[in-house]
């Protein structure tokens, strides 16, 4: 869509669940991630779409956001924002590590929700990002969601 005269591509996502994977700090080490291959495939489709956009316009404004159901260091996220990718993980770049979580599972804070942006959007809009710790820190019975929202703000000229 167009925002303030500027074309903007927003790719909203909800990748496959981690249900069935081993626990990061569980009894079985290293843990098994039996569902990860599905998220890698999903990330590959998103990456190809973003690369098609950037092939037409290298300065295009692209946002890839949502519940990617995986960690910043995981294979699916490396598919989207690794060293040979063009997307930038805003939280990893702009926030201290202690603030980057959107989910608490068995006492472990984790980040499963992400906002990734194209280099042009990152360079031109002075973005900020934050996780609103509204749900993850509350008792399960008091939550409306099990994930905290992540928000980003962009300054368009």
């Amino acid at each position: 869509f167009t925002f303030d005269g500027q074309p903007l591509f927003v790719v909203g996502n909800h990748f496959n669940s981690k249900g069935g994977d081993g626990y990061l700090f569980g009894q079985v080490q290293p843990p098994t991630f039996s569902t990860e291959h599905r998220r890698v495939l999903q990330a590959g489709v998103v990456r190809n779409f973003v690369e098609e956009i950037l092939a037409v316009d290298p300065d295009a404004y692209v946002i890839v956001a949502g519940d990617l159901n995986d960690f910043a260091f995981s294979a699916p996220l490396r598919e989207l924002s690794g060293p040979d990718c063009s997307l930038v993980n805003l939280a990893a770049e702009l926030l201290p590590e202690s603030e980057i979580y959107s989910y608490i599972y068995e006492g472990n804070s984790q980040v499963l929700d992400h906002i990734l942006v194209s280099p042009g959007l990152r360079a031109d809009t002075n973005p900020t990002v934050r996780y609103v710790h509204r749900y993850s820190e509350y008792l399960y019975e008091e939550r409306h969601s099990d994930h905290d929202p992540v928000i980003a703000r962009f300054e368009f000229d």
Side-chain angles (χ1 to χ4, degrees):
F1 63 90
T2 302
F3 177 78
D4 200 24
Q6 173 67 47
L8 179 66
F9 298 87
V10 178
V11 186
N13 300 277
H14 190 177
F15 282 7
N16 187 66
S17 168
K18 293 179 75 62
D21 284 358
Y23 301 110
L24 280 181
F25 302 103
Q27 184 177 357
V28 176
Q29 291 296 319
T32 58
F33 300 122
S34 60
T35 65
E36 185 177 65
H37 72 282
R38 291 186 191 120
R39 289 185 299 283
V40 169
L41 293 173
Q42 291 171 312
V45 170
V46 171
R47 178 182 173 160
N48 289 340
F49 178 63
V50 170
E51 286 177 350
E52 287 177 19
I53 295 169
L54 296 177
V56 173
D57 179 3
D59 297 321
Y61 289 0
V62 182
I63 300 172
V64 173
D67 180 358
L68 303 183
N69 263 319
D70 230 319
F71 312 117
F73 58 82
S74 70
L77 269 289
R78 285 193 314 271
E79 179 73 21
L80 292 170
S81 63
D84 62 337
C85 300
S86 56
L87 293 173
V88 176
N89 187 325
L90 284 183
E93 185 174 301
L94 300 175
L95 292 177
E97 191 173 333
S98 62
E99 292 181 24
I100 305 175
Y101 64 94
S102 61
Y103 184 74
I104 296 178
Y105 184 71
E106 294 193 347
N108 297 304
S109 60
Q110 306 171 358
V111 61
L112 302 177
D113 307 273
H114 303 270
I115 296 179
L116 312 169
V117 300
S118 61
L121 183 64
R122 169 67 179 100
D124 295 347
T125 62
N126 191 30
T128 58
V129 64
R130 73 183 206 117
Y131 288 89
V132 181
H133 299 299
R134 170 62 185 96
Y135 301 116
S136 64
E137 297 176 355
Y138 288 82
L139 294 174
Y140 187 79
E141 298 80 24
E142 297 175 7
R143 302 182 199 179
H144 298 292
S145 173
D146 58 346
H147 292 245
D148 288 330
V150 55
I151 58 173
R153 183 178 198 168
F154 303 90
E155 296 176 14
F156 291 89
D157 290 332

